Amino acid sequence: MTMNLFNQFLSPTFLGLPLIAIALMAPCLLYPSPAPWWQSNRWMTLQNWFIGSFIKQIFSPINTKGHSWALLLATLMVFLITLNTLGLLPYTFTPTTQLSLNMAFAVPLWLATVIMGFRNSPTHALGHLLPEGTPTPLVPILIIIESISLLIRPLALGVRLTANLTAGHLLIQLVSSAAFSLLLSQTTAASLAVGLLLLLTILEIAVAMIQAYVFVLLLSLYLQENV
């Protein structure tokens, strides 16, 4: 039973070739870039409004030096939302349930913000490791604690996204398995399980969007500290 539950998180293969690359290309196929000869339609208008509102909300408290990250973070936001929501479809694979992939997103972007901070203002960047007014005996301990908290940030980003999506998928599989097994023997209990499954699906759609937003929001906060 345990193996059946977690088999859904294995990367699918075809003729020994991993299909995760195809799953990662799905957002590129769903969000084509508009050509100059295209006329504006409702889909493109909604897409542009969403991206514009997101950029305005995320980058309003950030210095103008960090506005060059707008395209990167907006693209990452749309990419993660698409991957997370497509993974809720039946017989699909969710790449963002893989910790290695989420760490591949988190570590380079976090490291880029840290390097930018040390390059632009080394004193200010080092000042985050020691709060102002710290008693002298506590200085070495606080430097170690703040250094660990700084280094653990990308791990927290990757684990948060992986754990939330994995837990949701497991809950949906458990409830759907219970509904299927009770379908013939206990119709009332099966109906309640189906209703719970619908509510869980709606909740997971919201979680898929919120977790993508939280991932990018935390990266923008790390960027705000270093620009």
Side-chain angles (χ1 to χ4, degrees), residues 79-197:
F79 185 73
L80 290 177
I81 287 179
T82 308
L83 288 180
N84 295 347
T85 51
L86 287 179
L88 295 173
L89 297 175
Y91 303 104
T92 56
F93 171 68
T94 311
T96 44
T97 56
Q98 306 294 314
L99 181 60
S100 57
L101 178 66
N102 295 334
M103 293 300 294
F105 288 144
V107 173
L109 294 174
W110 164 82
L111 188 60
T113 61
V114 174
I115 292 175
M116 177 182 294
F118 278 99
R119 185 187 64 180
N120 294 336
S121 180
T123 305
H124 181 70
L126 290 174
H128 290 298
L129 302 179
L130 185 63
E132 187 177 356
T134 303
T136 304
L138 296 180
V139 168
I141 299 176
L142 282 179
I143 290 178
I144 295 174
I145 293 175
E146 292 296 331
S147 300
I148 294 175
S149 66
L150 176 65
L151 296 175
I152 209 173
R153 283 179 175 181
L155 181 61
L157 282 176
V159 171
R160 180 186 292 106
L161 183 58
T162 303
N164 282 282
L165 295 179
T166 302
H169 283 65
L170 287 175
L171 279 175
I172 289 177
Q173 182 169 356
L174 287 172
V175 175
S176 60
S177 301
F180 182 77
S181 61
L182 296 173
L183 186 60
L184 298 178
S185 59
Q186 300 181 19
T187 309
T188 305
S191 302
L192 293 176
V194 170
L196 179 60
L197 180 61

Side-chain angles (χ1 to χ4, degrees), residues 53-73:
S53 300
F54 167 74
I55 292 176
K56 183 179 180 180
Q57 181 178 3
I58 291 293
F59 286 89
S60 56
I62 299 179
N63 195 339
T64 54
K65 292 182 179 179
H67 289 182
S68 58
W69 286 60
L71 179 61
L72 175 62
L73 294 186

